[in-house]
Amino acid sequence: QVQLVESGGGLVQAGGSLRLSCAASGPNLSSSVMGWFRQAPGKEREIVAAIMWIGRTTQYADSVKGRFTISRDNAKNTVYLQMNSLKPEDTAVYYCAAGSSWSAVASNDVYWGQGTQVTVSS
């Protein structure tokens, strides 16, 4: 039902920037919470940021506060993750996710995108 397609990943030098995009389609997007997760090699998947599809409520992991910004363009059904001042520790596969509530996203009760690789070189 819900389909999420990420794009924008790639290779970037430390200190550089990337913007990830997540094109969403499906029912009940207006009541959904969108999140960006990442999974680095050998580590568990962790939430990076989340935003209400409708409204301005956002949440960020402490590790990315001040560097990453999540936003959405409802007219385009697209969620973005602007990543600035990238560090090698940001290297991971980044996944877009859609859940019905904040608690659903926090518990990984979500639809997943396919993921996009972000590699930050030192």
Side-chain angles (χ1 to χ4, degrees):
Q1 294 182 342
V2 175
Q3 293 182 304
L4 307 170
V5 180
E6 300 101 327
S7 62
L11 175 65
V12 65
Q13 192 77 19
S17 299
L18 286 172
R19 189 179 74 162
L20 305 183
S21 299
C22 174
S25 62
N28 300 317
L29 290 179
S30 63
S31 62
S32 68
V33 175
M34 307 297 296
W36 285 98
F37 291 72
R38 67 186 181 187
Q39 187 166 25
K43 297 182 179 180
E44 294 186 357
R45 189 172 299 185
E46 62 177 348
I47 191 166
V48 175
I51 187 171
M52 294 289 294
W53 191 259
I54 299 295
R56 297 184 180 275
T57 302
T58 59
Q59 295 289 333
Y60 295 93
D62 288 342
S63 60
V64 306
K65 286 182 178 178
R67 300 190 298 120
F68 291 11
T69 303
I70 189 170
S71 62
R72 79 279 184 273
D73 186 336
N74 289 13
K76 297 181 179 180
N77 290 337
T78 300
V79 177
Y80 304 96
L81 185 68
Q82 178 67 45
M83 304 185 294
N84 298 326
S85 301
L86 283 162
K87 305 174 181 179
E89 64 196 63
D90 295 318
T91 295
V93 177
Y94 284 71
Y95 298 89
C96 184
S100 61
S101 66
W102 291 106
S103 60
V105 172
S107 63
N108 290 356
D109 184 16
V110 297
Y111 294 93
W112 296 103
Q114 83 286 356
T116 185
Q117 177 71 45
V118 172
T119 302
V120 184
S121 62
S122 60

